[in-house]
Amino acid sequence: MIHHRLSYLSDHTLKTHRMNFRGLFELFLFISLISATKGGAKLIGPSKPVLGLVGDDVILPCSLQPAESVAEATVEWLRPDLSNSNVFIFRDGRESYQDQNPSFQQRATLFLQQLKNGNMSLKLSRLQLSDAGDYTCKWIKSGSQTSIQVRLAIGAVSEPKIYAKREGTKVALQCEAKNWYPQPEMEWTDGKGNIISHDSNITKNGQYYSVHGTIKVEMTENVYTCTVRQQNINQSRETNYTVVCQEASSQPIIWAIVFGLLLMIVISVFVAYKAFKT
């Protein structure tokens, strides 16, 4: 009898503890939901690296969702890999340049009028190759802070140029593209889109690459296109050159000679006529 009663009390106590644990767990979830509803704003940034080109401007997105003003908060943009990591600081309602990394001076800024909408995006101007890296967007308010990382990839491109040189019955076309980054590749095609094999050469000056490619073609009418591309930064540039056939290129010269002879004949006749009248 006593053993049965003790067994009943143990089962009852265990059930009571389970109910208490479940109640505490449900209370914790409820409080968490309230907190997420009242203060659930979070930083949103790009899911992929942002691409910028040397010399251009770029925007590194960072904003609060749902939107709320950050004009009274502290906003920091950092490059953790640098000894002086401060890219741009907004504190106490104004920009703070005191501890800014010198390499970002007069090149980094926020959209101050958009802070009231939770927009903390950073604009970087006159990009350099050294700007590539991971940036931290940090929001600090009332002793708490949250941050996200934004990766910036930098590339460099230029327009290719074609130089032509006649070699007997053929013409040599040399395509040149300077100051690319990362290393590019070159392709020649004719007017029908056929790829033409060519001799190429790549040189490096500091961090930049230059590529040269030459083809030799017959003096027959065709359009040749030189394309320089870099897959990693999804960039390409192209230019073309039109070769005219040898016979067609000589026609203007023939017509010029004929016109000159006719003009000389007309002038001779006119002079003889004036002399005869005299």
Side-chain angles (χ1 to χ4, degrees):
M1 180 70 178
I2 295 174
H3 177 75
H4 176 72
R5 181 174 179 81
L6 288 175
S7 177
Y8 168 77
L9 289 174
S10 298
D11 292 343
H12 179 72
T13 303
L14 183 60
K15 289 180 180 179
T16 303
H17 286 174
R18 287 177 177 172
M19 291 177 64
N20 289 340
F21 178 76
R22 182 178 178 181
L24 289 173
F25 181 71
E26 291 177 348
L27 179 62
F28 172 76
L29 287 178
F30 179 70
I31 293 174
S32 299
L33 288 172
I34 292 176
S35 299
T37 303
K38 293 179 64 176
K42 61 180 181 179
L43 292 181
I44 301 296
S47 58
K48 297 180 180 180
V50 177
L51 172 65
L53 297 178
V54 169
D56 289 352
D57 300 342
V58 74
I59 295 174
L60 303 183
C62 179
S63 59
L64 274 178
Q65 286 189 4
E68 66 175 75
S69 176
V70 296
E72 303 301 323
T74 297
V75 178
E76 297 181 354
W77 275 93
L78 311 170
R79 267 279 301 275
D81 61 309
L82 302 179
S83 56
N84 181 352
S85 62
N86 295 325
V87 177
F88 193 88
I89 307 295
F90 181 86
R91 184 186 295 123
D92 299 327
R94 60 187 177 87
E95 306 99 314
S96 176
Y97 300 105
Q98 184 175 358
D99 300 320
Q100 186 181 31
N101 187 314
S103 65
F104 293 103
Q105 289 179 357
Q106 298 183 345
R107 294 199 305 121
T109 185
L110 300 183
F111 298 91
L112 299 181
Q113 299 301 318
Q114 291 296 318
L115 292 176
K116 61 185 178 182
N117 300 322
N119 185 356
M120 294 174 279
S121 300
L122 178 75
K123 180 181 179 181
L124 278 179
S125 302
R126 304 183 301 280
L127 289 175
Q128 308 166 5
L129 285 181
S130 58
D131 291 332
D134 292 330
Y135 291 74
T136 299
C137 173
K138 184 183 292 186
W139 172 49
I140 305 172
K141 183 179 181 181
S142 303
S144 63
Q145 64 181 40
T146 183
S147 64
I148 60 170
Q149 273 199 341
V150 180
R151 175 162 294 182
L152 174 61
I154 300 292
V157 301
S158 67
E159 296 295 332
K161 296 181 179 179
I162 295 178
Y163 304 93
K165 181 181 178 181
R166 186 167 176 177
E167 297 182 357
T169 60
K170 294 187 175 183
V171 58
L173 301 178
Q174 182 187 61
C175 182
E176 177 183 75
K178 296 181 177 181
N179 298 327
W180 277 66
Y181 183 87
Q183 181 177 320
E185 58 184 18
M186 179 179 288
E187 181 180 85
W188 276 98
T189 54
D190 62 16
K192 295 182 179 180
N194 300 314
I195 297 175
I196 305 172
S197 60
H198 64 279
D199 299 325
S200 63
N201 180 40
I202 295 178
T203 58
K204 190 175 182 182
N205 182 17
Q207 291 182 282
Y208 294 96
Y209 294 87
S210 295
V211 57
H212 307 76
T214 303
I215 59 173
K216 292 183 179 181
V217 297
E218 298 291 338
M219 291 285 291
T220 55
E221 190 168 351
N222 208 333
V223 178
Y224 297 93
T225 301
C226 172
T227 303
V228 181
R229 63 172 61 91
Q230 217 303 318
Q231 302 287 0
N232 294 341
I233 58 174
N234 194 30
Q235 292 291 312
S236 66
R237 299 290 187 275
E238 68 177 37
T239 187
N240 54 62
Y241 187 91
T242 301
V243 174
V244 295
C245 63
Q246 196 168 11
E247 293 79 6
S249 63
S250 63
Q251 286 182 5
I253 299 175
I254 295 173
W255 281 110
I257 294 173
V258 171
F259 179 77
L261 289 174
L262 289 175
L263 183 62
M264 290 178 62
I265 292 172
V266 170
I267 293 175
S268 299
V269 170
F270 178 75
V271 172
Y273 176 76
K274 294 289 287 186
F276 177 77
K277 293 286 286 184
T278 303

